[in-house]
Amino acid sequence: MSDDRHAEPPMQLTEATADDIDILTEYWYALASDMEQYSKFNELAYDSVDSVPEAPFRNLLDSDDTTVYLVEDGGDQIGYVTLRDGEHPSREYERYKVIVDLLITERHRNEGYGSDVVAAVKELARDDGCDHLKVSCEWENEGARRFYRDTGFEEKQVTFVQEIE
């Protein structure tokens, strides 16, 4: 049986440019809005996607250690992933990529695209000489935790947060 979702061309990551800021803002706002439910520290400062400024996205696209990719399938944009390079010079596992953000549009979820993105990111990391990937998600977001476990990640640490009054 053929896999129609991978009809020409297959899922690919395409590096985002300044021309993609509108769609990146839309995707980021959807992801950030979904995360609000998990912690008061995720509360957005913007009332709508239209009030999100472009400058942070321009800065992200200009960053030397961060790359933003659009997830595309058959010419359609179906999500995005933001990757950041890092290193631990004193550790055996020294060079890594962090999946900062990963969003597959709701319409395309549970179809294998997220797993395909992780596999593509792993290849990018390998090609860049990295020896591991990192990702974090909200503790209470069991769906994301299950997804990352299912794609081969293991839980390593817990992040704590404290408000400064």
Side-chain angles (χ1 to χ4, degrees):
M1 183 174 208
S2 71
D3 184 356
D4 288 337
R5 95 178 155 87
H6 287 292
E8 297 296 321
M11 191 284 310
Q12 61 186 12
L13 301 182
T14 303
E15 190 167 343
T17 68
D19 292 337
D20 300 313
I21 286 181
D22 288 344
I23 191 70
L24 291 174
T25 304
E26 181 182 318
Y27 286 160
W28 173 84
Y29 192 81
L31 179 63
S33 296
D34 285 348
M35 295 303 103
E36 281 187 305
Q37 66 183 307
Y38 297 110
S39 170
K40 71 178 184 178
F41 291 100
N42 294 343
E43 187 175 324
L44 288 172
Y46 311 108
D47 293 331
S48 72
V49 67
D50 296 326
S51 62
V52 177
E54 287 187 4
F57 293 97
R58 289 191 185 284
N59 293 341
L60 198 60
L61 293 172
D62 291 339
S63 173
D64 290 336
D65 68 345
T66 302
T67 309
V68 182
Y69 295 92
L70 290 170
V71 179
E72 298 180 339
D73 189 41
D76 294 329
Q77 296 172 345
I78 61 168
Y80 84 111
V81 61
T82 303
L83 306 176
R84 182 172 296 130
D85 295 326
E87 60 181 63
H88 295 297
S90 63
R91 297 202 179 142
E92 188 67 31
Y93 288 90
E94 179 179 357
R95 297 195 64 219
Y96 59 89
K97 282 204 185 292
V98 177
I99 298 173
V100 178
D101 288 335
L102 171 57
L103 173 96
I104 300 298
T105 57
E106 194 167 336
R107 179 176 154 222
H108 292 93
R109 290 183 189 156
N110 300 310
E111 296 179 7
Y113 290 110
S115 298
D116 290 349
V117 170
V118 170
V121 167
K122 194 172 185 177
E123 283 300 313
L124 287 170
R126 185 179 291 118
D127 291 348
D128 286 348
C130 295
D131 49 33
H132 66 292
L133 297 176
K134 291 184 175 189
V135 67
S136 62
C137 64
E138 295 296 327
W139 185 258
E140 297 295 326
N141 188 344
E142 186 52 43
R145 292 176 65 201
R146 183 177 36 257
F147 168 76
Y148 288 118
R149 283 191 302 266
D150 289 350
T151 55
F153 287 88
E154 60 184 71
E155 293 177 352
K156 180 184 170 287
Q157 69 186 47
V158 175
T159 301
F160 291 89
V161 64
Q162 182 182 79
E163 182 176 5
I164 298 173
E165 297 177 27

Short mmCIF file of all heavy atoms in Angstrom, two decimals, residues 90-111:
data_model
loop_
_atom_site.label_atom_id
_atom_site.label_comp_id
_atom_site.label_asym_id
_atom_site.label_seq_id
_atom_site.Cartn_x
_atom_site.Cartn_y
_atom_site.Cartn_z
N SER A 90 33.46 20.15 28.00
CA SER A 90 34.08 19.29 29.00
C SER A 90 33.41 17.92 29.11
O SER A 90 33.75 17.14 29.99
CB SER A 90 34.03 19.99 30.38
OG SER A 90 32.67 20.17 30.76
N ARG A 91 32.50 17.62 28.22
CA ARG A 91 31.77 16.35 28.31
C ARG A 91 32.09 15.45 27.13
O ARG A 91 32.45 15.90 26.05
CB ARG A 91 30.27 16.61 28.36
CG ARG A 91 29.89 17.39 29.60
CD ARG A 91 28.45 17.21 29.93
NE ARG A 91 28.14 17.95 31.14
CZ ARG A 91 27.02 18.60 31.33
NH1 ARG A 91 26.08 18.58 30.40
NH2 ARG A 91 26.80 19.24 32.45
N GLU A 92 31.91 14.17 27.34
CA GLU A 92 32.12 13.19 26.28
C GLU A 92 31.16 13.46 25.12
O GLU A 92 31.54 13.41 23.97
CB GLU A 92 31.91 11.78 26.84
CG GLU A 92 32.28 10.69 25.89
CD GLU A 92 33.76 10.60 25.59
OE1 GLU A 92 34.59 10.95 26.47
OE2 GLU A 92 34.10 10.21 24.46
N TYR A 93 29.89 13.72 25.44
CA TYR A 93 28.92 14.13 24.42
C TYR A 93 28.97 15.64 24.36
O TYR A 93 28.37 16.34 25.18
CB TYR A 93 27.52 13.64 24.78
CG TYR A 93 27.35 12.15 24.60
CD1 TYR A 93 27.62 11.28 25.64
CD2 TYR A 93 26.94 11.64 23.38
CE1 TYR A 93 27.49 9.90 25.47
CE2 TYR A 93 26.79 10.27 23.20
CZ TYR A 93 27.07 9.42 24.24
OH TYR A 93 26.93 8.07 24.07
N GLU A 94 29.71 16.15 23.39
CA GLU A 94 30.08 17.56 23.40
C GLU A 94 29.18 18.45 22.56
O GLU A 94 28.74 19.50 23.01
CB GLU A 94 31.52 17.67 22.88
CG GLU A 94 32.05 19.06 22.81
CD GLU A 94 33.47 19.12 22.31
OE1 GLU A 94 34.09 18.07 22.06
OE2 GLU A 94 33.97 20.23 22.15
N ARG A 95 28.89 18.08 21.32
CA ARG A 95 28.16 18.96 20.40
C ARG A 95 26.73 18.47 20.22
O ARG A 95 26.50 17.29 20.00
CB ARG A 95 28.86 19.01 19.05
CG ARG A 95 30.26 19.63 19.19
CD ARG A 95 30.87 20.03 17.88
NE ARG A 95 30.07 21.09 17.28
CZ ARG A 95 29.83 21.16 15.99
NH1 ARG A 95 30.29 20.26 15.16
NH2 ARG A 95 29.10 22.15 15.49
N TYR A 96 25.80 19.40 20.26
CA TYR A 96 24.40 19.01 20.16
C TYR A 96 23.58 20.06 19.42
O TYR A 96 24.02 21.19 19.23
CB TYR A 96 23.80 18.77 21.55
CG TYR A 96 23.86 19.97 22.46
CD1 TYR A 96 22.84 20.92 22.49
CD2 TYR A 96 24.94 20.15 23.32
CE1 TYR A 96 22.89 22.01 23.33
CE2 TYR A 96 25.00 21.25 24.17
CZ TYR A 96 23.97 22.17 24.17
OH TYR A 96 24.03 23.25 25.01
N LYS A 97 22.40 19.66 19.02
CA LYS A 97 21.37 20.57 18.52
C LYS A 97 20.20 20.47 19.48
O LYS A 97 19.87 19.38 19.95
CB LYS A 97 20.90 20.18 17.12
CG LYS A 97 21.85 20.61 16.02
CD LYS A 97 21.14 20.75 14.70
CE LYS A 97 22.12 21.05 13.59
NZ LYS A 97 22.76 22.36 13.67
N VAL A 98 19.59 21.61 19.75
CA VAL A 98 18.40 21.67 20.58
C VAL A 98 17.21 21.96 19.66
O VAL A 98 17.26 22.87 18.84
CB VAL A 98 18.49 22.80 21.63
CG1 VAL A 98 17.21 22.90 22.44
CG2 VAL A 98 19.70 22.61 22.53
N ILE A 99 16.18 21.15 19.81
CA ILE A 99 14.91 21.47 19.16
C ILE A 99 14.22 22.46 20.09
O ILE A 99 13.74 22.10 21.15
CB ILE A 99 14.05 20.21 18.94
CG1 ILE A 99 14.78 19.23 18.04
CG2 ILE A 99 12.69 20.60 18.38
CD1 ILE A 99 14.09 17.88 17.90
N VAL A 100 14.22 23.72 19.70
CA VAL A 100 13.67 24.79 20.52
C VAL A 100 12.15 24.80 20.40
O VAL A 100 11.44 24.88 21.40
CB VAL A 100 14.26 26.16 20.12
CG1 VAL A 100 13.64 27.28 20.94
CG2 VAL A 100 15.78 26.15 20.25
N ASP A 101 11.66 24.76 19.18
CA ASP A 101 10.23 24.73 18.90
C ASP A 101 9.98 23.70 17.81
O ASP A 101 10.79 23.59 16.87
CB ASP A 101 9.72 26.08 18.35
CG ASP A 101 9.66 27.18 19.39
OD1 ASP A 101 9.54 26.88 20.58
OD2 ASP A 101 9.73 28.36 18.98
N LEU A 102 8.89 23.00 17.93
CA LEU A 102 8.44 22.09 16.87
C LEU A 102 6.93 22.14 16.84
O LEU A 102 6.27 21.88 17.86
CB LEU A 102 8.91 20.65 17.13
CG LEU A 102 8.33 19.56 16.23
CD1 LEU A 102 8.58 19.84 14.77
CD2 LEU A 102 8.90 18.20 16.62
N LEU A 103 6.39 22.53 15.71
CA LEU A 103 4.94 22.58 15.54
C LEU A 103 4.57 21.95 14.21
O LEU A 103 5.14 22.30 13.18
CB LEU A 103 4.42 24.02 15.55
CG LEU A 103 2.94 24.11 15.20
CD1 LEU A 103 2.09 24.18 16.44
CD2 LEU A 103 2.64 25.27 14.28
N ILE A 104 3.65 21.03 14.27
CA ILE A 104 2.98 20.52 13.09
C ILE A 104 1.54 21.02 13.21
O ILE A 104 0.93 20.90 14.28
CB ILE A 104 3.01 18.98 13.03
CG1 ILE A 104 4.46 18.46 13.00
CG2 ILE A 104 2.21 18.46 11.83
CD1 ILE A 104 5.28 18.90 11.80
N THR A 105 1.01 21.60 12.15
CA THR A 105 -0.34 22.14 12.22
C THR A 105 -1.32 21.06 12.65
O THR A 105 -1.13 19.87 12.35
CB THR A 105 -0.78 22.74 10.87
OG1 THR A 105 -0.68 21.74 9.85
CG2 THR A 105 0.06 23.95 10.51
N GLU A 106 -2.34 21.49 13.36
CA GLU A 106 -3.31 20.55 13.93
C GLU A 106 -3.87 19.60 12.88
O GLU A 106 -4.04 18.41 13.13
CB GLU A 106 -4.43 21.33 14.62
CG GLU A 106 -5.28 20.47 15.50
CD GLU A 106 -6.18 21.28 16.41
OE1 GLU A 106 -5.86 22.45 16.70
OE2 GLU A 106 -7.19 20.71 16.82
N ARG A 107 -4.14 20.12 11.72
CA ARG A 107 -4.70 19.31 10.63
C ARG A 107 -3.80 18.16 10.21
O ARG A 107 -4.26 17.15 9.70
CB ARG A 107 -4.97 20.24 9.45
CG ARG A 107 -5.52 19.57 8.26
CD ARG A 107 -5.84 20.60 7.18
NE ARG A 107 -5.76 19.91 5.90
CZ ARG A 107 -5.21 20.39 4.83
NH1 ARG A 107 -4.71 21.60 4.84
NH2 ARG A 107 -5.18 19.71 3.73
N HIS A 108 -2.48 18.29 10.44
CA HIS A 108 -1.51 17.29 9.99
C HIS A 108 -0.91 16.47 11.14
O HIS A 108 0.03 15.71 10.91
CB HIS A 108 -0.40 17.98 9.19
CG HIS A 108 -0.89 18.53 7.90
ND1 HIS A 108 -1.32 19.83 7.77
CD2 HIS A 108 -1.05 17.96 6.69
CE1 HIS A 108 -1.71 20.04 6.53
NE2 HIS A 108 -1.56 18.93 5.85
N ARG A 109 -1.43 16.63 12.32
CA ARG A 109 -0.89 15.88 13.47
C ARG A 109 -1.31 14.42 13.41
O ARG A 109 -2.30 14.07 12.79
CB ARG A 109 -1.35 16.51 14.78
CG ARG A 109 -0.70 17.85 14.99
CD ARG A 109 -1.05 18.49 16.30
NE ARG A 109 -0.54 19.86 16.29
CZ ARG A 109 -1.02 20.83 17.02
NH1 ARG A 109 -2.01 20.61 17.86
NH2 ARG A 109 -0.50 22.03 16.93
N ASN A 110 -0.53 13.60 14.08
CA ASN A 110 -0.79 12.15 14.18
C ASN A 110 -0.75 11.47 12.82
O ASN A 110 -1.42 10.46 12.62
CB ASN A 110 -2.12 11.89 14.90
CG ASN A 110 -2.11 12.45 16.30
OD1 ASN A 110 -1.17 12.19 17.05
ND2 ASN A 110 -3.12 13.23 16.63
N GLU A 111 0.05 12.01 11.91
CA GLU A 111 0.23 11.41 10.59
C GLU A 111 1.69 11.03 10.35
O GLU A 111 2.05 10.67 9.23
CB GLU A 111 -0.26 12.36 9.50
CG GLU A 111 -1.75 12.64 9.56
CD GLU A 111 -2.21 13.61 8.48
OE1 GLU A 111 -1.42 13.99 7.58
OE2 GLU A 111 -3.40 14.01 8.54
#
